[in-house]
Amino acid sequence: MNLRSKLAIAFAGVGAAASVLVGVFSYQTASQRISAELDRALLTTSAEIQAGATQVLAPSPFTAGPHDNDHDEAQPMVAQAIAPDGEVRRIGGRPAVSFPVDDTDRALAANGRPGQDSYRDLTVGPDDYRVITVALGRDRGAVQLGVDVDESRHVLASLATRITLVSAAVLVAAALVGWLLARQITRRLVRLTAVTEQVSDGGLGQAGVPAGGRDEVGRLATSFDRMLGRLADARADQERLVQDAAHELRTPLTSLRTNAQVMRRFDELSPDSRARLLDDVDGETRELTHLITEIVDLATRRYDSEDDGPVELAGVAERAAERVRRRSGRTIVVDADGTVASGQTRRLERAVTNLLENAVKFDAGGTRPIELTVRKGRIEVLDRGPGIPERDLPHVFDRFHRADAARALPGSGLGLAIVRETALAHQGEVLARPRPGGGAVVGFTVGGDRLLPSSHPDHAGD
């Protein structure tokens, strides 16, 4: 059974339950009111009979039919007197029936206080009666008065029939309205289910989510649409990464294959040629290893599992600078304030290290220090290399982008792409611009929402 059917049945059940409860309550209320009115009429009429007004034995307004308009018709009320010794005497009323007298009636006639009464239901012949016995006191016996309740029961039976019909109509109406409402409610869910099935079958690119609405279904559709968008972007990024990686891997693999062919004639090479060949193989192997490491980092997002925590950016800058100093032997000057941010320490260190290694690579023959500055979540590396051509500025942080001047330099072309991923993960942005006097300024920022109160004064080191 689908959700639409379940909702329709639920609506019908609620409507039917409400209708039955209202019907039962209405029937009980009507029955109690009619019984109370009959008892009141019997008590009032019995008092009038005691006063000698036997003409009050007229048709009951609750039981009289459309033809009971004169006193020649059968009267629904019947009265009789009970003497103290238990003798019964008919007073009047029609039909001419006599009610049986029990011990309670005889006790009221013999010893009852004036006005003391007793009610009971009797069946005399084919008719049912509501009977009251009222004691007169002072050895005057009692008066017994009965009213035919068959018509009252017919009225209640008719009421019950109408209530049943109305309940059935309400049940049908509730089922119909429930089905319509369920159809309206589940319409977008049905479409959303179809989209998920399409996506599960591999149709991510063709999936169109029925968005819209501010209710839970609309919010679900909007969130699912955003999720599909991110999945599509991730798939596109993955495909681009694979294509770019395949392209970049061809160069070192081709070089290694060529060197492998040359090594078949290793004995024929001169010592200098052998040394150059081995150096070339060693360099290409390192480049290939470095490229594969960078690709794996980007493809798996290794640092995504690292928890965020307070990070002193000055410490990050110092550790990255010390690492690059050991590797390159270059002088790196760190000028950092006491900025503390919420972020991933290892990921930020990797990004700063990539910035410094990029500066060292492009300023390989330089003698002036490379500068690293940290100011209020803004991290910049300043070098005195050849700078960045204007046409390359928009593509500096693209994966595998290599400027014309960098094609002969080592590197995977992924270092600055990792910097951009880190900046975006910390709600920041990347930056690259020419440096006045020559060189380049490359860096990234940490989003303002991630900056925490500083626990140290401005700090500088080298």
Side-chain angles (χ1 to χ4, degrees):
M1 184 180 296
N2 57 30
L3 180 59
R4 182 177 299 176
S5 299
K6 291 180 180 179
L7 288 175
I9 292 175
F11 276 112
V14 171
S19 177
V20 169
L21 289 176
V22 171
V24 171
F25 178 76
S26 301
Y27 180 83
Q28 290 180 345
T29 301
S31 177
Q32 292 172 359
R33 289 292 301 273
I34 290 176
S35 297
E37 287 296 324
L38 285 174
D39 290 348
R40 185 186 63 80
L42 286 172
L43 186 60
T44 301
T45 304
S46 66
E48 293 177 354
I49 290 175
Q50 294 174 45
T54 58
Q55 69 275 9
V56 297
L57 296 175
S60 168
F62 301 100
T63 60
H67 304 293
D68 297 336
N69 295 324
D70 57 49
H71 299 294
D72 294 333
E73 298 291 337
Q75 302 297 327
M77 277 194 178
V78 178
Q80 62 186 21
I82 305 174
D85 59 2
E87 182 182 354
V88 177
R89 177 177 59 85
R90 177 178 168 78
I91 296 177
R94 293 185 181 180
V97 297
S98 178
F99 299 131
V101 178
D102 61 8
D103 292 340
T104 301
D105 299 332
R106 295 188 183 95
L108 286 174
N111 304 312
R113 298 186 307 274
Q116 186 178 358
D117 57 48
S118 173
Y119 290 93
R120 61 178 172 146
D121 296 318
L122 294 174
T123 299
V124 180
D127 300 322
D128 294 326
Y129 290 86
R130 178 69 169 170
V131 178
I132 183 175
T133 303
V134 182
L136 301 178
R138 300 178 183 177
D139 297 328
R140 291 190 298 165
V143 173
Q144 195 173 50
L145 181 67
V147 62
D148 190 341
V149 296
D150 285 340
E151 289 297 331
S152 299
R153 292 182 177 177
H154 292 162
V155 171
L156 291 176
S158 177
L159 178 61
T161 300
R162 293 182 182 181
I163 290 175
T164 302
L165 293 176
V166 170
S167 299
V170 170
L171 172 62
V172 174
L176 178 60
V177 172
W179 186 83
L180 293 175
L181 289 176
R183 180 183 179 185
Q184 181 66 22
I185 292 172
T186 60
R187 179 170 52 86
R188 287 178 293 168
L189 284 177
V190 170
R191 295 171 58 189
L192 188 59
T193 302
V195 172
T196 58
E197 292 174 348
Q198 180 181 355
V199 172
S200 65
D201 292 337
L204 179 61
Q206 296 79 27
V209 180
R214 298 183 179 180
D215 56 1
E216 288 77 3
V217 178
R219 289 162 52 195
L220 174 63
T222 301
S223 299
F224 190 73
D225 186 51
R226 288 200 299 266
M227 182 186 70
L228 289 183
R230 292 182 179 180
L231 286 175
D233 292 341
R235 174 180 288 184
D237 289 343
Q238 186 182 45
E239 291 176 353
R240 285 196 300 271
L241 178 62
V242 171
Q243 293 171 359
D244 293 342
H247 175 75
E248 292 296 324
L249 286 170
R250 288 193 187 98
T251 299
L253 288 175
T254 300
S255 177
L256 286 174
R257 187 164 53 248
T258 301
N259 290 330
Q261 293 175 353
V262 174
M263 291 182 70
R264 294 179 183 275
R265 299 181 291 106
F266 190 77
D267 295 338
E268 304 175 9
L269 300 178
S270 64
D272 291 341
S273 298
R274 293 177 182 179
R276 287 196 302 272
L277 177 62
L278 293 176
D279 290 341
D280 190 28
V281 170
D282 182 61
E284 292 293 341
T285 303
R286 285 198 304 271
E287 286 296 322
L288 184 60
T289 301
H290 182 63
L291 175 60
I292 292 175
T293 300
E294 299 283 9
I295 292 175
V296 170
D297 286 346
L298 276 178
T300 62
R301 297 187 176 183
R302 179 181 301 173
Y303 300 105
D304 284 356
S305 59
E306 183 181 358
D307 294 332
D308 288 346
V311 180
E312 293 185 4
L313 297 184
V316 169
E318 289 285 1
R319 290 190 293 272
E322 181 60 28
R323 185 180 300 112
V324 177
R325 289 189 193 109
R326 290 196 307 267
R327 293 176 180 175
S328 65
R330 292 292 301 272
T331 301
I332 300 175
V333 178
V334 179
D335 181 11
D337 60 11
T339 301
V340 179
S342 174
Q344 299 170 333
T345 303
R346 289 186 299 149
R347 194 168 188 176
L348 289 170
E349 285 186 15
R350 176 64 179 276
V352 176
T353 300
N354 286 355
L355 290 175
L356 292 172
E357 289 179 344
N358 186 73
V360 169
K361 179 174 66 175
F362 282 94
D363 191 13
T367 57
R368 301 175 65 176
I370 294 174
E371 300 175 25
L372 172 59
T373 64
V374 179
R375 287 289 183 272
K376 296 181 179 180
R378 187 182 186 91
I379 302 172
E380 296 180 339
V381 173
L382 300 84
D383 63 57
R384 288 298 181 182
I388 303 174
E390 187 72 24
R391 65 177 181 277
D392 290 326
L393 283 175
H395 308 290
V396 167
F397 296 94
D398 291 348
R399 293 174 181 173
F400 300 109
H401 174 73
R402 306 290 290 274
D404 293 339
R407 296 191 182 278
L409 298 176
S412 64
L414 292 173
L416 294 185
I418 292 176
V419 173
R420 181 176 62 182
E421 295 288 337
T422 301
L424 294 177
H426 291 79
Q427 286 78 54
E429 57 185 12
V430 291
L431 55 97
R433 66 179 185 274
R435 183 182 183 184
V441 179
V442 184
F444 67 96
T445 64
V446 175
D449 293 340
R450 284 184 170 260
L451 300 182
L452 304 176
S454 177
S455 58
H456 300 283
D458 288 355
H459 170 79
D462 58 70

